[in-house]
Amino acid sequence: MAQARREFAPDISVVVPVYDEAGAAPALAREIAAAFAGRAFEIVFVDDASRDGTRAALKALAGEIPQLRVLGHRKNSGQSRAVRSGILAARAPVIVTLDGDGQNDPADGPGLVDALNAGPPDLALVGGERVKRQDSQAKKLASRFGNGVRKRLLRDTANDTGCGLKAFRREAFLRLPYFDHIHRYLPALMLREGYQVAFRPVNHRHRQSGRSKYTNLGRLAASLSDLFGVMWLQSRARNPGGVDEV
């Protein structure tokens, strides 16, 4: 079985970072498998050193979901690092990411992949934009404010970079500079590299278990530092407009 998994070459790798999500992760894995049934896919869960039974709960699904792989960080390193670990380990050229708390709907993933594959060659990312968000009013207001400031300063055309549901090309992601919280700046960084990005509305659901790992104040403090850093990266970009072998 292990040898067969190594030889399998999927078209899509679904990468899911999780931290203390034992209550949500198994059901989410089953939903992802159902959503991508009929396609060549793998599911890569990255457990960011959870303190609960997340890792064991996922490993118990190995016989039920043969496409499932479970990676584990030795120490907690944050969502962006978990996403990157999953992408580095992924076997497919197309990556789908979604949050591990179950609020992103896996049923929207195939549509993002289809939009990516139907686009022009330089389309590198199709991001989800959450409609009818199932969050507290305070969280929605903070998100709206943060998205507005970021969009104005970075000109990344994105209304909702906080949505974890995205489809993008693995090769394009690996060209980007890595830093913590990079997952919120993928559209801006893809544009900086000369790629195109697009967006589609996606569903958003209530959290069924666990609790959010972020606070509004904590997110704001990190976002200001990250925002200035990405603005600096944009200011130092030089794009040759393509490379020709002569």
Side-chain angles (χ1 to χ4, degrees), residues 5 9 31 33 37 50 67 70 80 115 128 134 145 153 168 173 201-202 207-208 214-215 217 244:
R5 288 191 181 192
E31 282 193 277
S50 292
Q67 300 90 348
V70 182
S80 282
Q134 304 301 312
F145 174 77
L153 293 177
F168 51 86
F173 177 89
V202 296
R207 174 186 275 273
Q208 299 297 317
Y214 300 98
T215 64
L217 288 177
D244 302 310

Side-chain angles (χ1 to χ4, degrees), residues 24-36 43 45 57 60-61 64-65 106:
L28 181 60
R30 293 185 179 101
E31 282 193 277
I32 295 170
F36 286 89
I43 308 170
F45 271 79
L61 297 176
E64 178 183 340
I65 306 174

Side-chain angles (χ1 to χ4, degrees), residues 88-99:
L88 289 173
R91 302 186 184 100
V94 171
I95 304 293
V96 174
T97 62
L98 65 159
D99 292 339

